[in-house]
Amino acid sequence: MAAPPTERAERDASDLVRALGAAATLFALGGVAAAILLDPTFSWTADALSDLGVRPRSAPAFNWGLMLGGAAGVGYAVGVWATSARRGVGVAGRAALLALAMVAMAGVGRFDLTEPLHAPAAIGFYALLTATFAVDGALRRGTTTGALALAFVPVHVAVWATFLAGWWPVTGLALPELPGAIALAAWVWFVGPLPVAGRGSARLDGDRTDEH
């Protein structure tokens, strides 16, 4: 039996939003990976990821990957809000924080290390991403995926706190930057309110219906 038109439309909308989430992470992480492969001088211990954005061989892949990923990510943020069964302040706040994080991520690509707006964009991305995890985890704290999202917060804070305290045996920012990028991908694909891998997320939550 075919699904009712309304149900089918809602499913199609959710699929579109998931596609935007997948595109956001694949553009961003794919661009970073491609840039690393294109730059044989890149060092995980001495460089920041953003160094890839100023070197001629790697800059196009790195910068365009982040800009395209950020654009898709804004669409994903809006879509998560639009397809949510709840439209309270918390849900809107989560969408706004995620959208701003994606704008900041695009800003990292748009404004390279030589630009004065680069540092605010980079700091804003990681701070806004952490805030997104915190709000999302609080909203869905009764689910396994919500608890995982909330757990990302102290882990991400600890990464930067220990690096800034000088506990890491590296001089570059690339390694402490990596956990945030991985956490974003994990949240979009598995842990967030409308994950790309929807069925896997449902299994984590015991097949509970989450109104995200």
Side-chain angles (χ1 to χ4, degrees):
M1 181 181 296
T6 301
E7 181 181 334
R8 188 165 56 248
E10 289 175 352
R11 186 182 305 155
D12 290 345
S14 294
D15 287 345
L16 174 60
V17 176
R18 288 188 172 96
L20 287 170
T25 54
L26 293 175
F27 275 130
L29 294 181
V32 172
I36 291 171
L37 292 174
L38 289 167
D39 180 12
T41 69
F42 177 76
S43 169
W44 281 105
T45 58
D47 288 334
L49 291 178
S50 292
D51 285 316
L52 295 164
V54 294
R55 295 172 181 168
R57 294 182 65 177
S58 57
F62 181 82
N63 293 331
W64 277 103
L66 292 181
M67 287 189 286
L68 292 172
V74 171
Y76 178 69
V78 173
V80 169
W81 172 82
T83 59
S84 176
R86 296 183 293 173
R87 298 289 181 85
V89 173
V91 172
R94 178 182 60 195
L97 286 168
L98 179 59
L100 289 172
M102 295 298 96
V103 170
M105 185 174 79
V108 173
R110 172 62 181 83
F111 306 105
D112 65 31
L113 278 172
T114 66
E115 301 281 350
L117 289 177
H118 180 83
I123 294 170
F125 168 66
Y126 289 111
L128 289 162
L129 187 61
T130 305
T132 300
F133 296 154
V135 172
D136 179 54
L139 286 171
R140 301 185 300 118
R141 58 187 175 275
T143 65
T144 300
T145 52
L148 287 171
L150 198 57
F152 286 169
V153 177
V155 171
H156 199 209
V157 170
V159 165
W160 284 108
T162 54
F163 174 77
L164 294 173
W167 294 4
W168 289 50
V170 299
T171 57
L173 293 169
L175 283 176
E177 287 175 326
L178 188 60
I182 293 173
L184 172 61
W187 187 82
V188 170
W189 280 79
F190 302 106
V191 177
L194 192 61
V196 175
R199 291 180 180 177
S201 177
R203 283 195 292 270
L204 283 174
D205 286 336
D207 293 323
R208 288 179 52 176
T209 299
D210 180 20
E211 296 182 346
H212 60 276

